[in-house]
Amino acid sequence: MKVLFMGTPEFAKISLECLVKNEYNIAGVVTQPDKPAGRKMTLTPSAVKEYASGENIPVYQPQSLKSEDFFDLLKSINPDIIVVVAYGKLIPKNVLDFPKHGCVNVHGSLLPKYRGASPINAAIINGEKITGITTQYMEEGIDTGDMLLKESIEIGENETYGELHDKLAQIGGRLLIDTLEQIKGGTVKREKQPDDGASYVGKIDNTMCEIDWNLTAQEIHDKIRGLSPVPAAFTYINGRKLKIFKSRISDDGIVELLEVQIEGGKRMNARDFANGRKNTESDVREGRLFKFSR
């Protein structure tokens, strides 16, 4: 099968690596244009582009998938199947309908729950105990296509988004290969997504990251780990933003901060941060006590 791969971040790169290791015929990679990053806003290629370039796979970075130029490119490549993993833009219908084996997507949740852009974050923030990966055939709706394969994984009580992301990326790559093998063999089974239990999550933005200290200790802890390491939950201390990367709930039900970064400073153990402050034991925010790890 001739594969056209579409993806952008590290999560997608893992699936591309699996295709390469399993010797799939990858005719090309479509990824987002280079974007400014870092303090100097240097144009930086995506993780997928960097990997594909190192493997001498042709890389395409169209500004739009709706242009005639892109569709001409698609016709010239003529893939048997398109694999989409966290590409970052909606795929037009004419592209979805083009390959004879359709478009297959690797999604970071147990569909139909948490369709959309931030399923891994959402599962942790909402206190889920189990999540997983779903492969699906793509259609015009956002993550509404027929489900193919699923694999579940438990979420640890202190597990962060970054940690869960890496585990799910590996599962996603493995499940993608299983899915493609079943498609090639004609044994794959399609399951229509039920309406019951369906939900949608958008992109994470900075307005969602400030901690509301009126929430329960568990809700605060879940938000901290669901946004770590990026973009990171935060609060303010003496007018300065304090990012919080790790926490736990102490035996007395208080949110205990373990790893933080004050505005203008470096990421550090919360104990070291507390030792540099006059009040080294605890702080009160909107009526809720939190303490620094001692």
Side-chain angles (χ1 to χ4, degrees):
M1 265 196 315
K2 187 191 292 186
V3 177
L4 178 64
F5 185 88
M6 301 179 69
T8 300
E10 182 71 21
F11 187 86
K13 186 197 85 171
I14 302 302
S15 286
L16 180 58
E17 284 181 335
C18 287
L19 291 172
V20 171
K21 289 175 183 176
N22 284 273
E23 299 182 343
Y24 271 79
N25 177 14
I26 305 169
V29 160
V30 178
T31 191
Q32 294 279 345
D34 296 0
K35 293 184 178 180
R39 291 185 177 181
K40 295 184 178 180
M41 300 300 285
T42 304
L43 279 178
T44 304
S46 71
V48 163
K49 179 181 178 179
E50 282 194 321
Y51 176 76
S53 298
E55 295 292 330
N56 295 316
I57 301 170
V59 175
Y60 307 99
Q61 296 177 279
Q63 292 292 336
S64 173
L65 300 181
K66 298 179 180 179
S67 68
E68 289 186 15
D69 286 345
F70 178 73
F71 197 68
D72 288 342
L73 171 66
L74 186 61
K75 289 187 289 187
S76 69
I77 295 173
N78 194 26
D80 297 311
I81 193 166
I82 296 177
V83 171
V84 182
V85 187
Y87 174 64
K89 288 184 179 180
L90 291 177
I91 313 297
K93 188 175 186 304
N94 66 332
V95 176
L96 294 174
D97 293 343
F98 184 84
K100 64 180 180 181
H101 289 295
C103 294
V104 170
N105 172 246
V106 176
H107 185 73
S109 79
L110 298 175
L111 291 171
K113 202 165 193 178
Y114 303 130
R115 297 167 176 165
S118 55
I120 305 174
N121 307 86
I124 297 176
I125 292 170
N126 291 330
E128 302 287 356
K129 305 300 182 187
I130 294 175
T131 188
I133 291 288
T134 307
T135 56
Q136 61 172 328
Y137 272 123
M138 296 182 70
E139 59 180 33
E140 283 190 276
I142 298 175
D143 299 322
T144 57
D146 289 352
M147 300 179 293
L148 302 174
L149 300 182
K150 284 187 177 183
E151 185 170 328
S152 300
I153 185 174
E154 291 186 358
I155 304 175
E157 63 179 353
N158 294 314
E159 193 162 24
T160 65
Y161 159 72
E163 293 163 345
L164 183 59
H165 166 281
D166 292 350
K167 291 179 183 178
L168 288 174
Q170 295 295 332
I171 293 172
R174 186 174 70 250
L175 211 61
L176 171 62
I177 299 302
D178 290 346
T179 300
L180 294 182
E181 289 300 309
Q182 289 189 21
I183 291 172
K184 283 197 297 183
T187 60
V188 73
K189 295 181 180 179
R190 304 173 69 134
E191 179 185 357
K192 187 175 176 61
Q193 289 194 39
D195 293 329
D196 288 347
S199 59
Y200 173 82
V201 289
K203 292 182 179 180
I204 300 291
D205 63 53
N206 197 53
T207 63
M208 303 164 63
C209 298
E210 184 171 2
I211 295 172
D212 178 359
W213 295 99
N214 291 308
L215 298 175
T216 67
Q218 186 65 56
E219 288 170 334
I220 292 169
H221 174 57
D222 291 344
K223 183 166 189 171
I224 290 169
R225 62 198 187 94
L227 296 172
S228 177
V230 289
F234 66 87
T235 190
Y236 288 96
I237 291 183
N238 298 328
R240 297 173 70 190
K241 181 184 285 189
L242 181 75
K243 290 184 176 181
I244 306 169
F245 300 99
K246 288 189 178 180
S247 62
R248 65 185 172 206
I249 299 176
S250 66
D251 293 339
D252 51 1
I254 293 173
V255 179
E256 186 174 357
L257 309 188
L258 304 178
E259 200 168 324
V260 299
Q261 182 179 13
I262 195 68
E263 188 174 358
K266 63 180 182 179
R267 183 169 169 172
M268 65 175 63
N269 185 289
R271 181 187 296 110
D272 295 334
F273 175 75
N275 286 339
R277 304 179 67 245
K278 290 182 180 180
N279 180 0
T280 60
E281 274 301 315
S282 62
D283 273 278
V284 176
R285 288 288 176 272
E286 299 175 28
R288 174 166 295 282
L289 181 71
F290 71 83
K291 64 183 181 182
F292 296 98
S293 174
R294 301 302 298 161

